[in-house]
Amino acid sequence: MTKHYPDLMLYIGGSWRKTADSLPVINPADESVIGAVPVASRSDLDDALAAAEQGFRVWSRTSPAVRSEIILKATALMRERIDDIAHSITLEHGKPFAQARLEVVRGCEFFEWDAAEAQRTYGRVIPSEPGIRYIVHHQPIGTVAAFSPWNFPMSQPSRKIAGAVASGCSIIIKAAEETPAGAFHIARAFHDAGLPAGVLNLVFGVPADISSYLIPKPQVRLVAFTGSTAVGKHLTEIAARHMTPVLMELGGHAPVIVCDDVDPVAAAITSAVRKARNAGQVCTSPTRFFVQEKIYEDFVKAFAEKARSTVVGNGLDAATQMGPLANHRRIEAMEALVADARAKGARVMAGGERLGNRGYFFPVTVLADLPGDARAMYEEPFGPMALINPVSSLDEAIEKANALPFGLAAYGFTHSAANADRLAEGIEAGTVSINTLEASVPATPFGGVKESGYGREGGIEGLTHYMTVKNVSHRMSIA
Ligand code: NAD
């Protein structure tokens, strides 16, 4: 493994490019500067648009089998380079090295799934009167402008690049400036695998400048974004002015309903371990726990104990179970939410205060008995914070789960088939998982309802956004 952080560059039209301006990349474990991310100028963006237009011409006429071959070659290189990629991710994001490796694997799985599935994007022939055929084709939509966030530096850009490139589109992706190395490694693998120039273009810069410049361009035929609901709405408004479709994966505030037929200790331990994953900076992170009264105190106690035993530290230390938060904004958000909940009468059962003052470390924080007006109950914490409240019935739990404008992931713990069915039917969310806190795998569709977004990534549904439907009516003679 080469233990250095990469010399980051833009990737436009098949070439690497340095820029006059750059931004520092900070290691959240010690706040040191580990690299410089290039800032694209307008002229770099114009070049990316022209390159993507040319790339689309070539790639959309390349057979799905050949496209798949190149994607799989690039993915094999990413798997070979897993330790290097994971090391860069831990340096820039802070997550434990083992979790960074798992993220690289997940990113590769997205590519592998889409590379296979894109070969099965069948059209159909519609039954018709003699002498005419109606044939439905799925065609790649064109150039995609994509924006990926900092919480999963590799797997977030993978979803979007995989969908676009497998479908025959070209893509300009603006990956996260705070965690740029994951996307950089993906571009490097595709370059080395022989992807034609212009199919994949990677830029960084000032997010609002890049999105407001690219989205209105006529070459851009789809806007794909993952991030906060506020930014998603803003980008959707820009896109709507140009009738450009969007794929939006936005915020969540995942409810977890714990029924009194399960072992509260087992459910609490599973939940506390999951809460620590990625330091809770996951849109599907289990957050609002609604626990039936009979097992409530046992659940809270076991959750708090497990939370307190979580080893927080530098992600490069083998013993670390949870790294720092990714940036200082998350520390401020955690502190503000804890102070507000405390003032409103919540019990702080574990954590609640920043650890040290160098590096953005914050422990798994467990708050119990929060009133409904505590900010954390309706603002996505996006950090290692669990909010636990008792409920007297399943109906009450479902009502509370559905009370927010979010609807991304939701979870339930129960061994009753009847309860599981009620949760699956009654919760307003894009995914409902029972007795597991895994919200999605590459083969399943992932996305939100209500203000959690629009569209799905993954599964057979994921590719449909990157394609348009064309009907061809073909009469066999002119008369
Ligand atoms: P933020 O709302 O400023 O930014 C969220 C993401 O959007 C970042 O990646 C940012 O670079 C990007 N962004 C911001 N303005 C943009 C613009 N005008 N055009 C294009 N991209 C833009 O907040 P933040 O402090 O970076 O992150 C905190 C919040 O973001 C969290 O509370 C969470 O709700 C959300 N978030 C969600 C996900 C997710 O996986 N759904 C990932 C990261 C952040």
Side-chain angles (χ1 to χ4, degrees):
M1 176 165 73
T2 52
K3 290 216 174 186
H4 61 82
Y5 191 76
D7 183 15
L8 300 164
M9 284 178 268
L10 307 181
Y11 184 61
I12 295 173
S15 305
W16 299 100
R17 197 179 276 204
K18 292 263 191 196
T19 58
D21 290 340
S22 66
L23 296 165
V25 182
I26 310 284
N27 180 343
D30 59 12
E31 302 178 40
S32 63
V33 174
I34 49 172
V37 64
V39 170
S41 64
R42 286 274 162 101
S43 123
D44 292 321
L45 298 180
D46 286 337
D47 290 349
L49 284 160
E53 203 171 8
Q54 176 56 25
F56 180 67
R57 262 187 230 118
V58 173
W59 196 237
S60 57
R61 292 178 200 146
T62 302
S63 80
V66 171
R67 295 199 300 244
S68 167
E69 229 171 77
I70 293 178
I71 296 170
L72 293 179
K73 197 166 165 195
T75 311
L77 291 173
M78 291 178 228
R79 284 188 182 275
E80 261 174 38
R81 298 169 184 173
I82 183 166
D83 284 339
D84 254 0
I85 304 176
H87 185 255
S88 305
I89 290 175
T90 295
L91 284 183
E92 66 184 10
H93 181 278
K95 69 185 72 184
F97 182 69
Q99 285 183 31
R101 282 184 109 258
L102 286 176
E103 183 188 335
V104 178
V105 170
R106 180 47 63 90
C108 290
E109 288 169 353
F110 289 145
F111 282 114
E112 288 155 358
W113 165 268
D114 281 352
E117 193 56 26
Q119 298 180 73
R120 298 189 281 265
T121 51
Y122 306 117
R124 67 191 194 277
V125 178
I126 294 172
S128 61
E129 69 211 61
I132 190 162
R133 287 267 180 256
Y134 301 115
I135 305 163
V136 178
H137 298 253
H138 295 284
Q139 294 187 311
I141 197 166
T143 293
V144 179
F147 304 87
S148 62
W150 45 261
N151 58 340
F152 289 98
M154 159 96 187
S155 67
Q156 292 277 21
S158 297
R159 282 225 177 215
K160 290 169 175 45
I161 297 170
V165 173
S167 305
C169 298
S170 60
I171 180 167
I172 304 172
I173 184 159
K174 188 209 77 62
E177 290 70 26
E178 288 168 318
T179 58
F184 176 79
H185 280 289
I186 295 172
R188 209 162 63 99
F190 272 101
H191 180 78
D192 295 348
L195 185 74
V199 177
L200 167 61
N201 304 276
L202 172 64
V203 297
F204 302 101
V206 178
D209 290 353
I210 296 183
S211 56
S212 61
Y213 191 70
L214 286 183
I215 295 173
K217 296 292 180 200
Q219 295 95 324
V220 170
R221 300 295 174 81
L222 173 71
V223 175
F225 171 76
T226 297
S228 62
T229 294
V231 175
K233 284 181 178 176
H234 173 63
L235 301 190
T236 300
E237 276 171 23
I238 303 177
R241 278 181 229 135
H242 305 274
M243 290 308 287
T244 305
V246 298
L247 174 54
M248 291 280 151
E249 299 294 353
L250 308 178
H253 203 308
V256 185
I257 295 178
V258 188
C259 298
D260 58 16
D261 64 283
V262 302
D263 172 3
V265 175
I269 290 173
T270 299
S271 300
V273 169
R274 191 68 178 183
K275 189 70 235 183
R277 174 178 170 249
N278 221 40
Q281 302 160 120
V282 190
C283 50
T284 57
S285 187
T287 298
R288 286 176 300 144
F289 291 81
F290 299 110
V291 184
Q292 285 198 304
E293 280 160 354
K294 199 170 93 186
I295 57 165
Y296 178 66
E297 284 303 338
D298 289 345
F299 182 87
V300 171
K301 187 166 165 273
F303 200 125
E305 265 168 26
K306 186 67 189 171
R308 281 194 292 268
S309 76
T310 305
V311 180
V312 181
N314 188 313
L316 291 178
D317 294 343
T320 294
Q321 293 170 322
M322 188 174 89
L325 302 190
N327 53 55
H328 198 268
R329 297 189 302 287
R330 300 313 324 140
I331 290 280
E332 285 160 14
M334 292 305 105
E335 286 176 342
L337 293 177
V338 172
D340 173 76
R342 215 192 274 270
K344 288 174 178 152
R347 282 192 287 157
V348 181
M349 304 300 298
E353 272 167 36
R354 182 178 180 175
L355 302 170
N357 54 13
R358 190 162 177 77
Y360 310 131
F361 295 100
F362 203 89
V364 180
T365 293
V366 182
L367 305 178
D369 305 338
L370 293 97
D373 67 344
R375 274 175 52 200
M377 287 301 288
Y378 53 89
E379 279 178 31
E380 183 182 23
F382 218 69
M385 182 177 287
L387 318 169
I388 315 182
N389 275 325
V391 284
S392 57
S393 69
L394 210 50
D395 283 342
E396 183 194 346
I398 292 172
E399 195 187 314
K400 288 189 164 157
N402 290 341
L404 299 189
F406 298 112
L408 194 58
Y411 308 94
F413 285 103
T414 181
H415 296 303
S416 149
N419 284 352
D421 191 58
R422 276 174 69 196
L423 295 177
E425 284 289 319
I427 299 183
E428 296 169 351
T431 67
V432 177
S433 308
I434 308 290
N435 297 333
T436 165
L437 295 170
E438 185 74 64
S440 71
V441 297
T444 56
F446 172 70
V449 298
K450 303 199 279 189
E451 295 196 3
S452 287
Y454 178 80
R456 295 291 178 268
E457 292 190 308
I460 56 174
E461 290 81 0
L463 293 179
T464 60
H465 302 279
Y466 294 90
M467 310 198 91
T468 50
V469 173
K470 181 182 278 174
N471 182 66
V472 175
S473 304
H474 181 180
R475 197 170 275 290
M476 302 305 143
S477 64
I478 295 173

